[in-house]
Amino acid sequence: MNSGIDLQASFIESLNQLGIPSGAAKALWIPFPSFLMIIGATVGVLVVVWLERKISAAAQQRIGPEYAGPLGVLQPVADGIKLVFKEDIIPAKADPWLFTLGPVLVVLPVFVSYLIVPFGQNLVITDLDVGIFFWIALSSIAPIGLLMAGYASNNKYSLLGGLRAAAQSISYEIPLALSVLAIVMMSNSLSTIDIVEQQSGYGILGWNIWRQPVGFFIFWIAALAECERLPFDLPEAEEEIVAGYQTEYAGMKFALFYLGSYVNLVLSALVFAILYLGGWEFPVPLDKLAGWLGVSEDSSWLQVITASLGITMTVLKAYFLVFIAVLMRWTVPRVRIDQLLDLGWKFLLPISLVNLLLTAALKLAFPMAFGG
């Protein structure tokens, strides 16, 4: 079943009906997805910041933000405005070029990674054949920015934070990539669209979470470590190294680190939903549901409903995972740096290798169930 409307075709057709030539309509389409991606990611960050404040307040039996807008929903906007207008200070002995480039290298790859996130079969900015590889490659750039920021600050605490960030990223990127490789092996594709379609047809029973329960846990633990969420926020552990790599930062540069952390959390939750929770798929197969109701799959209104449900399901699954991540921040204590590295190298890495080999064996033994 075609999962929803073709956004590009609908956009160009609508402009053609207004008298705009096809060439001009296609030219207008080129910046539109990128603009939509940036707006969507930024709004997602505002929602997550508000959720974090409210969930943490509920966990600690507090009220949380209330006065900046209804239920405090404008509090993240107020925080953003404050950071934009704060003075941008560069320490006297810092390297100004590297000091400025560090936050940019942290944020830019995360935003670009949204290009491969699908909200429907036709609701994706670009369907790359190597989409998952593209995401993993981009995610490996951010630690360079953190290390650069820590080194350029000319502060021992910042340097330690940058080194910790690099060590943590390397430790957890390998188990994360191996858990993703097991999914790729079952799907026979690196495309995010193909991975979701491989889980379709059986509703919730076809989702990869049932076939990859071990990879599911490895990916989520590694994703939390990559996002530097508690209990893995060692690069900026306040009790040990003040604020780590962002100790010397203020104003908009500090805001970029803050933004990058939350954008990465939402991105990781979206990728997790695509890999393990069926992406835009409904728990009940919509094509079978339409057949039972006697509705034609080619109906235009059904395509609109399917697209709307696809976006809703992807976002709901992602924000459920964000809720779990926020709740963990206020319930699980921070680990030590040696415990963090031991978990990555001595525990997650061997288990992810065994999981990959087991997936390969199951793929050969049960090709129908494991994508042979």
Side-chain angles (χ1 to χ4, degrees):
M1 183 176 180
N2 189 338
S3 296
I5 57 176
D6 187 342
L7 190 60
Q8 180 177 355
S10 302
F11 180 85
I12 293 172
E13 185 180 347
S14 300
L15 292 182
N16 288 339
Q17 291 174 356
L18 294 173
I20 298 174
S22 295
K26 289 177 181 178
L28 288 172
W29 167 259
I30 292 172
F32 182 72
S34 300
F35 177 74
L36 200 63
M37 172 194 71
I38 293 170
I39 294 297
T42 306
V43 170
V45 168
L46 297 178
V47 173
V48 172
V49 172
W50 178 80
L51 279 175
E52 177 130 48
R53 287 169 178 256
K54 280 295 187 181
I55 294 168
S56 62
Q60 298 175 342
Q61 295 184 341
R62 295 186 289 107
I63 295 173
E66 268 199 326
Y67 298 103
L71 299 176
V73 293
L74 295 180
Q75 187 62 52
V77 179
D79 293 340
I81 293 171
K82 177 190 73 174
L83 288 168
V84 166
F85 286 101
K86 284 188 75 172
E87 183 180 0
D88 183 16
I89 300 171
I90 298 178
K93 294 186 178 181
D95 186 319
W97 287 103
L98 294 183
F99 191 81
T100 303
L101 194 58
V104 176
L105 276 181
V106 170
V107 172
L108 200 58
V110 184
F111 272 104
V112 175
S113 297
Y114 275 81
L115 292 171
I116 54 101
V117 175
F119 293 89
Q121 189 173 16
N122 297 314
L123 293 173
V124 59
I125 295 176
T126 177
D127 179 18
L128 294 176
D129 293 335
V130 291
I132 290 297
F133 177 77
F134 179 74
W135 167 64
I136 292 174
L138 284 175
S139 67
S140 64
I141 297 175
I144 300 173
L146 299 179
L147 186 58
M148 187 182 295
Y151 172 78
S153 297
N154 195 26
N155 179 310
K156 59 184 178 181
Y157 297 113
S158 299
L159 180 59
L160 282 173
L163 290 171
R164 280 187 174 192
Q168 180 170 321
S169 178
I170 293 168
S171 300
Y172 285 86
E173 203 165 299
I174 300 171
L176 184 141
L178 289 173
S179 64
V180 171
L181 192 58
I183 297 290
V184 170
M185 188 184 295
M186 291 196 307
S187 306
N188 300 311
S189 175
L190 285 161
S191 166
T192 50
I193 299 288
D194 293 343
I195 289 171
V196 175
E197 288 182 340
Q198 180 258 342
Q199 301 173 70
S200 64
Y202 301 97
I204 192 172
L205 298 176
W207 295 355
N208 282 332
I209 187 174
W210 312 116
R211 286 173 289 185
Q212 285 290 318
V214 177
F216 159 81
F217 284 108
I218 293 172
F219 184 95
W220 188 236
I221 293 170
L224 288 177
E226 289 280 314
C227 296
E228 297 167 13
R229 299 284 303 181
L230 265 166
F232 306 113
D233 66 333
L234 273 300
E236 48 176 317
E238 296 92 342
E239 299 91 346
E240 303 166 35
I241 50 175
V242 193
Y245 55 82
Q246 57 190 20
T247 300
E248 300 291 348
Y249 281 88
M252 198 57 202
K253 290 190 181 74
F254 174 81
L256 286 177
F257 284 124
Y258 194 72
L259 179 68
S261 172
Y262 280 100
V263 172
N264 201 10
L265 177 63
V266 177
L267 175 67
S268 299
L270 286 167
V271 173
F272 188 97
I274 290 159
L275 294 177
Y276 294 97
L277 302 180
W280 66 79
E281 291 292 329
F282 203 65
V284 180
L286 287 177
D287 53 346
K288 291 182 173 57
L289 192 61
W292 295 337
L293 297 174
V295 179
S296 172
E297 292 184 8
D298 298 325
S299 302
S300 57
W301 62 270
L302 180 62
Q303 294 299 313
V304 173
I305 291 174
T306 305
S308 304
L309 277 176
I311 296 170
T312 304
M313 289 307 302
T314 307
V315 171
L316 281 178
K317 291 169 185 176
Y319 274 98
F320 171 72
L321 295 164
V322 169
F323 172 78
I324 298 297
V326 171
L327 205 58
M328 283 184 66
R329 175 175 180 176
W330 301 99
T331 52
V332 182
R334 177 186 292 127
V335 299
R336 298 195 312 267
I337 185 67
D338 60 308
Q339 293 172 330
L340 178 132
L341 295 176
D342 283 348
L343 177 65
W345 289 110
K346 297 181 180 179
F347 188 75
L348 292 183
L349 179 58
I351 289 179
S352 59
L353 281 169
V354 171
N355 180 63
L356 183 62
L357 293 172
L358 187 61
T359 303
L362 290 171
K363 182 180 172 74
L364 293 173
F366 305 102
M368 289 297 293
F370 287 87

